């Protein structure tokens, strides 16, 4: 059974702090890893990672994948209250592109 | 912007009723997914499809059924709703031979009383 584990489960930081969210996986037929941000309703897409060692960046967010050690990290620098959300990691596997999500990390950024 | 729509957004229904949650996408995506998510909890895959007339069960056992007669449409049906089916149901679609990014609908919050 495919397994995706995120840590920490929950995190409270002050505005301006830098945070690192972790995602490890044990799956069969890995294709790609996706990061999503979920605030109230539907998750919104952040990054897709397919190759090891290549950092993806979008503003204050960045992410990297290690396919040898089977994990990914999501970094958020200079956090803002608007970054408060659940961050979800998902792994895409197989020819049917099955998506398996982790439990998510709940991030709260306080003033 | 992703064009994937779910209806209804909210549904309150009595025990024993048959319901169908609609999901449609206008992007021509081959892959479509249904997830169940309780408040503050993780997303659980309950069904997915990689093309017309193909459906697979996900990791979480579900009493619901799905069909994929048309590329753009992936409805989920509960023959007899129960309070244990109360949850949020999220539909997603994706495309790509190698790299697959999934777009989500806004979800249907189902309450069975």
């Amino acid at each position: 059974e495919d397994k995706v584990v995120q840590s920490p489960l929950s995190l409270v930081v002050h505005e301006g702090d830098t945070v690192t969210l972790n995602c490890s996986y044990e799956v069969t037929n890995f294709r790609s890893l996706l990061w999503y941000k979920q605030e109230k309703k539907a998750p919104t897409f952040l990054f897709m990672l397919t190759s090891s060692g290549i950092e993806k960046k979008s503003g204050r967010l960045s992410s990297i994948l290690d396919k040898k050690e089977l994990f990914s990290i999501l970094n958020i620098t200079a956090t803002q209250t608007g970054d408060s959300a659940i961050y979800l990691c998902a792994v895409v596997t197989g020819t049917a592109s099955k998506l398996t999500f982790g439990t998510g990390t709940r991030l709260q950024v306080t003033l | 912007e992703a064009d994937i729509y779910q209806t209804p957004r909210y549904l309150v229904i009595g025990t024993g009723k048959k319901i169908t949650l609609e999901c449609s996408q206008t992007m021509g995506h081959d892959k479509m997914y249904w997830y169940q998510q309780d408040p503050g909890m993780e997303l659980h895959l309950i069904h997915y499809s990689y093309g017309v007339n193909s459906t697979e069960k996900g990791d979480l056992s579900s009493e619901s059924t799905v069909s994929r007669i048309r590329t753009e449409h992936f409805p989920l049906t509960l023959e007899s709703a129960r309070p244990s089916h109360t949850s949020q149901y999220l539909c997603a679609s994706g495309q790509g031979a190698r790299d697959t990014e999934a777009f989500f609908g806004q979800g249907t919050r189902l309450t069975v009383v």
Side-chain angles (χ1 to χ4, degrees):
Chain A
E1 184 182 327
D2 295 334
K3 193 174 172 185
V4 180
V5 178
Q6 291 185 246
S7 64
L9 290 179
S10 184
L11 189 59
V12 181
V13 300
H14 291 299
E15 200 170 45
D17 288 350
T18 293
V19 297
T20 298
L21 310 183
N22 303 289
C23 175
S24 63
Y25 58 92
E26 291 179 34
V27 301
T28 306
N29 295 323
F30 174 90
R31 289 177 56 175
S32 60
L33 186 143
L34 311 175
W35 282 98
Y36 287 85
K37 178 182 182 182
Q38 186 175 25
E39 292 177 86
K40 288 189 178 164
K41 288 286 183 182
T44 53
F45 173 76
L46 294 175
F47 295 112
M48 177 167 57
L49 303 157
T50 55
S51 302
S52 275
I54 298 174
E55 186 182 51
K56 294 271 182 106
K57 278 183 76 85
S58 176
R60 296 176 292 103
L61 277 66
S62 63
S63 183
I64 198 160
L65 173 67
D66 186 328
K67 289 167 76 172
K68 184 180 175 188
E69 300 298 329
L70 308 182
F71 77 92
S72 174
I73 59 171
L74 175 69
N75 276 320
I76 309 174
T77 59
T79 52
Q80 302 170 358
T81 55
D83 295 327
S84 297
I86 296 173
Y87 289 84
L88 295 163
C89 168
V91 175
V92 183
T93 57
T95 52
S97 298
K98 177 184 164 190
L99 266 75
T100 302
F101 278 84
T103 51
T105 293
R106 183 181 293 276
L107 172 66
Q108 185 179 348
V109 182
T110 61
L111 291 171
Chain B
E1 189 170 320
D3 294 315
I4 178 164
Y5 307 100
Q6 289 185 243
T7 58
R9 294 286 300 276
Y10 300 92
L11 179 63
V12 181
I13 201 160
T15 297
K17 299 291 185 185
K18 177 180 178 179
I19 57 169
T20 296
L21 307 185
E22 302 287 350
C23 177
S24 295
Q25 49 96 3
T26 59
M27 298 169 283
H29 287 168
D30 286 338
K31 280 79 172 181
M32 294 190 75
Y33 312 86
W34 275 104
Y35 289 87
Q36 186 174 341
Q37 185 181 37
D38 293 326
M41 303 296 284
E42 63 191 283
L43 284 155
H44 291 286
L45 180 67
I46 50 174
H47 297 283
Y48 64 105
S49 166
Y50 46 92
V52 171
N53 293 325
S54 83
T55 61
E56 300 282 346
K57 286 189 179 294
D59 297 321
L60 181 69
S61 175
S62 174
E63 292 162 350
S64 59
T65 58
V66 291
S67 63
R68 190 87 184 277
I69 299 170
R70 303 197 316 265
T71 297
E72 62 271 21
H73 196 214
F74 191 41
L76 181 144
T77 298
L78 276 164
E79 289 293 331
S80 180
R82 294 209 299 270
S84 61
H85 296 139
T86 295
S87 189
Q88 172 162 258
Y89 293 83
L90 286 161
C91 178
S93 73
Q95 180 73 353
R98 177 174 166 78
D99 301 335
T100 305
E101 166 193 342
F103 296 94
F104 281 83
Q106 288 301 302
T108 294
R109 178 157 300 283
L110 171 67
T111 302
V112 183
V113 297

